[in-house]
Amino acid sequence: MASSISTKTSSTGGSSMHTAKPPPHHSNDAVLYNTTELSTWVDSLLTEFNQPASHFPSTLNLPYSINPDSVNAWTEPNTTSFYETQQIIEEDSSIRLVHVMMSCADSVQRGNLSLAGALIEELHILLSRVNSEFGFGKVAGYFIDALSRRVFKPLERSHGSAHENEILYHHFYEACPYLKFAHFTSNQAILEAFDGHDCVHVIDFNLMQGLQWPALIQALALRPNGPPILRLTGIGPPSLDGHDPLRETGLRLAHLARSVNVRFAFRGVAASRIDDVKSWMLQVDPKESVAVNCIMQLHKLLDDPSRIDNVLKLIHSLEPKIVTLVEQDTNHNQPEFSDRFREALYYYSTMFDSLEACKGPQKWLAEIHVQREICNVVCCIEMHETLANWKEMMDKNGFTPVYLGTNAYKQASMLLTVFSAQGGYSVDESEGCLKLGWHNRPLIAASAWRPNSKM
Amino acid sequence: MLSIIVSSLDKEKRPKFCINDHIDVLIEILKRLDGRSLGVAASVCRLWCSVTRNDSLWEHLCFRHVSPPPLSVRPIVVALGGYRKLYMVCLRPVLTRLGRRRVWTRHEVELALSLFCVDYYERLMVGGGVVKGGGGDVAPSSLMFLFKAVNV
């Protein structure tokens, strides 16, 4: 990570100043945060941190806020209860956690790894004072873990086996609606693009267990004029342990297609990096209509923009009717480490906030999936870009946007309401793209494209 | 609805009429019931249980408020497990979550059908019936979210 000696100058928007309120009297013994406020709270802490004279913050967008009076108040037994005291200590530690994490990120950026190391020790101590089972404590724990890797073991990559990654991905699919949203929205765009075509070919850049395709197969089966002949090419990592997950997935999808009378053919392409894929491997027939599906894949190439250009050039050469692109909507690609860290802290606090609202028997596996992502982002192995930047990249490479219609929007809204009846998730439409977010903070964005004849 | 049928079984007051002798009438009545009542009807007796398991009753229920679907829908739903299963596993929870118990549109049915298809596929993954020793690590639970208690 390039170290920069100059003091970082950054500006973050969205400062939230509220007048201090006295802590309310709580009669229950819940020593925990109102987690729906978590992401706004973290954001406000981070903006506080950036203000030059940021000493002990007394004006925060908290349901209750700390002011020096209340901290002293707990020494007077008549005015506060024991539980309020606990809350105050916990809040105090959490606030300090954020501040120390940012200082640590700052020292990493400046190359001062010994100071960073010392700060990590302090972070561990602070972490022990908060509840790290849920709420901010949990997110902080993951970030501290990631920071220690960054400082002490920067070259070690935390990669699970492909099989492990598939399992975690599947649990992430089940525990929260992000991937379902991605699949349903992309399928809708593909379905609309394939209207009237009888010979269709879908190229999926990350087959995983093929969870996206049953719904498309079923929708194609129900087309008014009958289903087309469907070919699916699934790209995935090569398997090192004997079984062939691509082939197994293909067989299952073929079984499903047969059950619903859709003529189907599958082909698996094993590639450890998606820019290793060449067009001859995909065997596109000129008579068929092609759709390319790219869910959470292109960001893996952000370490070198020419890699993205190469893949997009390849896709362009296939002359697809539609290209569906779904990516995280955040900037984890800033040159300055502390900016990246701050953005990641905000993004993943929001995501964990949304996960807290989901109930599920094995949610913890979904959390591990996100935890690994946090680690990769903090160790600068993985980068993400905002939707606006993705749009620019697509435009630069000769693609024009295809607006996702009202059907996609309605379906997404319905899906979210069904998924989480208590709300919190929100779908927004923005220039033909759909964004899924938690409490109005967009987390993932879906868009569709087609090649223009410019290139 | 059911009380009328029950009172018709009261042999002392009326001439002998047993609904069980007129299955076609029974089916006509059952066709007009909502899902919950169909479930209750299934517990009346063995005959009623087998009659209510008739998938066309559930097909009628699924599309009651929706314009008749094209003929191609039925074989697909049957292949994926049948209308009764579609209603119980997907359509009813979807409608409950959306707060639409009485009337619904084809959008809800389409969504339920997509979820039903994903569930079928996940069962293929677990069953390992298609692929020998296939990766059946995860029990089909992508529909679990439909059954969790709604946090009011």
Side-chain angles (χ1 to χ4, degrees), chain A residues 296-309:
Chain A
M296 316 289 217
Q297 290 305 293
L298 285 188
H299 70 256
K300 296 183 180 172
L301 308 175
L302 280 171
D303 58 340
D304 179 1
S306 67
R307 293 176 73 192
I308 296 190
D309 292 336

Side-chain angles (χ1 to χ4, degrees), chain A residues 1-10 105-111 150 302-303 330-344 377-385 389:
Chain A
M1 209 43 226
S3 58
S4 70
I5 310 296
S6 59
T7 53
K8 74 171 162 57
T9 53
S10 59
D106 218 27
S107 12
V108 168
Q109 181 178 303
R110 281 187 264 113
R150 175 83 179 82
L302 280 171
D303 58 340
T330 180
N331 188 354
H332 292 155
N333 199 14
Q334 292 105 330
E336 311 262 318
F337 179 74
S338 49
D339 293 332
R340 192 184 294 202
F341 186 84
R342 185 190 317 114
E343 185 68 32
V377 169
V378 170
C379 295
C380 302
I381 294 168
E382 185 171 330
M383 279 73 71
H384 302 142
E385 274 292 355
N389 285 350

Side-chain angles (χ1 to χ4, degrees), chain B:
Chain B
M1 275 261 122
L2 286 176
S3 55
I4 298 172
I5 297 164
V6 167
S7 67
S8 77
L9 293 172
D10 187 347
K11 291 175 185 155
E12 272 162 55
K13 290 191 185 159
R14 294 170 197 279
K16 275 201 167 151
F17 173 85
C18 180
I19 188 73
N20 287 356
D21 294 331
H22 303 268
I23 301 293
D24 50 341
V25 176
L26 175 60
I27 290 177
E28 280 305 310
I29 296 171
L30 292 175
K31 262 190 196 171
R32 287 155 175 76
L33 296 184
D34 62 304
R36 193 167 183 275
S37 306
L38 270 180
V40 170
S43 340
V44 167
C45 64
R46 249 184 249 142
L47 176 65
W48 282 40
C49 186
S50 69
V51 171
T52 49
R53 299 229 159 201
N54 187 332
D55 217 37
S56 61
L57 273 177
W58 297 91
E59 178 181 3
H60 191 90
L61 174 62
C62 287
F63 291 107
R64 182 173 299 168
H65 303 292
V66 178
S67 54
L71 292 171
S72 54
V73 178
R74 185 183 302 162
I76 288 165
V77 176
V78 168
L80 297 177
Y83 279 101
R84 182 169 172 271
K85 203 165 173 199
L86 170 65
Y87 183 82
M88 298 298 286
V89 172
C90 292
L91 186 55
R92 187 171 62 112
V94 164
L95 294 174
T96 311
R97 286 295 181 93
L98 291 173
R100 291 196 238 306
R101 268 305 189 71
R102 301 267 162 240
V103 188
W104 55 88
T105 68
R106 66 180 178 84
H107 296 291
E108 284 84 356
V109 183
E110 278 169 12
L111 180 64
L113 197 45
S114 301
L115 293 172
F116 192 48
C117 197
V118 176
D119 183 61
Y120 174 82
Y121 179 71
E122 286 193 313
R123 285 174 199 286
L124 286 180
M125 285 165 68
V126 176
V130 179
V131 182
K132 255 204 165 123
D137 294 283
V138 184
S141 51
S142 80
L143 293 187
M144 281 301 285
F145 70 91
L146 289 175
F147 298 103
K148 295 190 295 279
V150 174
N151 206 0
V152 178

